[in-house]
Amino acid sequence: MSAAAENPPPASLTPRLEQILQSLPDRAFAARLRAVYLAAAQAISRLSDLDLVKYETPVVDASPDLSLWEEMAPVIRDTVMDVNGLLNVIREQFPGAPPAEPSASRKGAADVPGLLQEGMTRLAQSITQLGEAMRNPSVVSDRWQLLAEIQRFRSDYREQMSQLVFESASSFGEVSRAQVVPGYEAEVKAAVTVRAITSDLSRIVAARLGKVRDAKPEEVLWNAQQLQTELDAFGRTAAYRNLRAQDKRHIVEARAEIGALALQTAPERQALVTVTEGLDALVRGLSAMNQRQLLILHDREVWAACGVRLERALSQSNKDPVASAKALAEAAASAQSLYGRDATMDAFLRKARKLKLATLTGPELLATIESFQSQLAQLDVM
């Protein structure tokens, strides 16, 4: 594990969470809750800091492999310790059952101990499930399956901890996850990056597939080499590092097949077509990440904010075209984080990157605003 993971920076709370704690009249209760939130922030940070790339292998071997289990044992131990660290703080700060009757001096506070106890129970059960999975011979002897399980459990722990913070903070008033959940914005940013880069990869592979199908015999080798280069470039991106282990496994398999064809003097076109078709289906399947609740909530917020900006741009298009163009440019910049959700919208956003939207005037300005509004209206974010 990296030095950063072994010695993470001190955990901190979001400004909104600090505001909530400062507003609580019972200072002793606020201090206890602060301890839980800081422990959750620390655990979320540590559970987010593992880079699985160094544990991967460039080939997929079906034979049993226990070497990774030895490498990952400290990671599994630290994962359990990080979760137990939060559980221990909850037990210390909020032992026993929650108060039976709410106190007038603790508006919303009466609900919090029960929420924390429920969250603690779910996390404890997940630790048991992790132990059972790590005793499964089919998991520990398969490098990629072991990586996938560790990744899944760590992601699930982060989600449960985030939910614990969000639900308890919501007891004191209306808040969003971005306002109170530690590390939420960083996780959203990572998901948006993965979606954007994998969307571009999907376009690249689809285009390459078309060229492979039309390739003459003397062009097959060149196309295999180009596809190999394109996959290698993707393997160096942040998106690849953040992919699920099971998706990486399939990409590694395809990369190995393509690499073998690229070494041949005269590879068969049909062989390259077959592996490229499989890769195309795999990469297109990555769009399923749009169903992640984290991205759904993000996309709804961006969609609504863009709509407001475009309404303002439209209303000002005649009387103040400079302000209108500025609002249009702001909406387009914000909408870039939606890239990868819809192919038609993606095409519009790619075009928008090349235009100086803030300088548009007259009919071109109005047409661009209306086109953008039409794209947003057709986007399914509900």
Side-chain angles (χ1 to χ4, degrees), residues 20-153:
I20 290 172
L21 292 171
Q22 291 294 333
S23 70
L24 299 180
D26 187 333
R27 302 313 303 155
F29 178 84
R32 292 159 58 203
L33 191 55
R34 179 187 296 277
V36 171
Y37 286 161
L38 285 172
Q42 184 77 7
I44 290 172
S45 175
R46 290 181 61 88
L47 290 168
S48 301
D49 199 32
L50 179 64
D51 184 0
L52 295 180
V53 172
K54 64 181 179 180
Y55 299 108
E56 296 165 6
T57 175
V59 297
V60 176
D61 187 353
S63 61
D65 177 14
L66 295 176
S67 63
L68 181 63
W69 167 250
E70 298 175 358
E71 294 179 59
M72 296 301 294
V75 175
I76 298 167
R77 177 203 63 204
D78 290 345
T79 298
V80 173
M81 290 178 63
D82 291 336
V83 176
N84 281 337
L86 172 59
L87 298 183
N88 289 335
V89 172
I90 296 175
R91 292 189 187 100
E92 292 170 4
Q93 300 299 331
F94 294 93
E101 295 292 336
S103 169
S105 63
R106 291 183 179 179
K107 184 179 179 180
D111 296 328
V112 171
L115 289 171
L116 296 179
Q117 292 285 345
E118 291 172 7
M120 182 178 70
T121 300
R122 288 192 295 269
L123 279 168
Q125 291 172 345
S126 294
I127 286 291
T128 301
Q129 293 168 2
L130 172 63
E132 293 172 352
M134 294 303 104
R135 289 191 292 272
N136 186 335
S138 66
V139 172
V140 298
S141 63
D142 185 313
R143 174 175 291 264
W144 286 97
Q145 191 170 347
L146 177 59
L147 288 174
E149 282 293 273
I150 293 173
Q151 190 180 51
R152 180 176 69 85
F153 275 104

Side-chain angles (χ1 to χ4, degrees), residues 271-282:
L272 185 57
V273 167
T274 300
V275 68
T276 308
E277 285 178 341
L279 179 62
D280 179 59
L282 167 65

